[in-house]
Amino acid sequence: DIIITKSNLKSANRPAAFFDFDETLLTIDSAGIGFKVLRDQGYLTKSFMLKMLVVMLLKKAGLIDEQIMAKAFLSFYRGRDLQPFIDHADEFYSEYLQPNLSPMVVKKLKEHQSLGHKTVLVTGSIDYYLKPVIDDLGIDHLLSTRLEVGSNGLLTGRSLGPVCVGKTKVDFINKLTLDQGLDLSQSYAYGNSELDIPMLELVGHPVVVTPNSKLTRHASRVNWPQIS
């Protein structure tokens, strides 16, 4: 276990704690449960589900990356009004996400907050359904994927700016660090997959959470602590 104490702090600058969401702070994949709910509600067409099946198979085979897969997912939103999704975000959180928060990682989050660390959720998931998470847990900042709205007021099916995965997480964190005057050398980061390695390498205290096989191998090589 990783014990967080004030003796860890060696700088007057404020440390932060960066948390990945899916399968880290949350024990499940929020996109997976989200699309299951949308399917049950009749939002997903057979053609879209077939498209996503092909995309997931290509990703599993290593033929496409996370950015391409995320863009395929986002195409679901093309031509839709964002407001109904915002209106149902609290319900989606209370019914599907809140029960699947990791007690262990939430405890770590609360420890950081008690020490006065800035807490940051850094995730490729979409911002509209993460805002109830931020409000409930008292997280200071949200770095995530945002949906682009077209001139007609409807969603374009694209992200506003880059999808927040892999090295893009580093770009987002670096910008926040400059804006907030954070000390990354005394900061913590929590992630579960090899896609989180760039974020984990950025801080002085990386922690891997129930890691997948690729991150397990990397964490063992560089002697990163693991919790599960």
Side-chain angles (χ1 to χ4, degrees), residues 14-21 24-25 105 109 112 117-123 139 141-143 169-170 172-178 180 182-191 196 199-200 202-207 209:
R14 193 170 188 181
F18 302 94
F19 292 85
D20 175 51
F21 187 55
T24 302
L25 183 59
V105 183
L109 172 73
H112 286 292
H117 299 176
K118 287 283 187 179
T119 51
V120 188
L121 194 61
V122 190
T123 173
I139 295 173
H141 299 283
L142 171 62
L143 305 178
K169 287 188 175 184
V170 171
F172 283 19
I173 290 172
N174 281 333
K175 183 178 186 306
L176 182 70
T177 297
L178 290 175
Q180 298 293 318
L182 303 176
D183 183 356
L184 292 180
S185 70
Q186 299 302 320
S187 293
Y188 295 73
Y190 298 80
D196 293 317
M199 176 180 74
L200 294 166
L202 197 61
V203 299
H205 303 284
V207 182
V209 180

Side-chain angles (χ1 to χ4, degrees), residues 66-134:
E66 285 286 332
Q67 287 280 348
I68 294 175
M69 188 172 76
K71 289 176 181 178
F73 271 113
L74 292 180
S75 67
F76 159 78
Y77 292 97
R78 185 181 299 120
R80 300 182 187 275
D81 183 0
L82 177 58
Q83 192 58 48
F85 296 103
I86 295 174
D87 292 343
H88 287 91
D90 286 333
E91 179 184 352
F92 180 66
Y93 173 65
S94 62
E95 187 169 350
Y96 296 101
L97 301 185
Q98 190 177 41
N100 288 296
L101 291 172
S102 166
M104 170 187 63
V105 183
V106 170
K107 180 182 177 183
K108 294 297 179 188
L109 172 73
K110 297 301 181 184
E111 289 177 7
H112 286 292
Q113 290 171 332
S114 70
L115 291 170
H117 299 176
K118 287 283 187 179
T119 51
V120 188
L121 194 61
V122 190
T123 173
S125 297
I126 302 171
D127 63 344
Y128 75 82
Y129 70 78
L130 295 170
K131 289 177 181 176
V133 183
I134 298 299

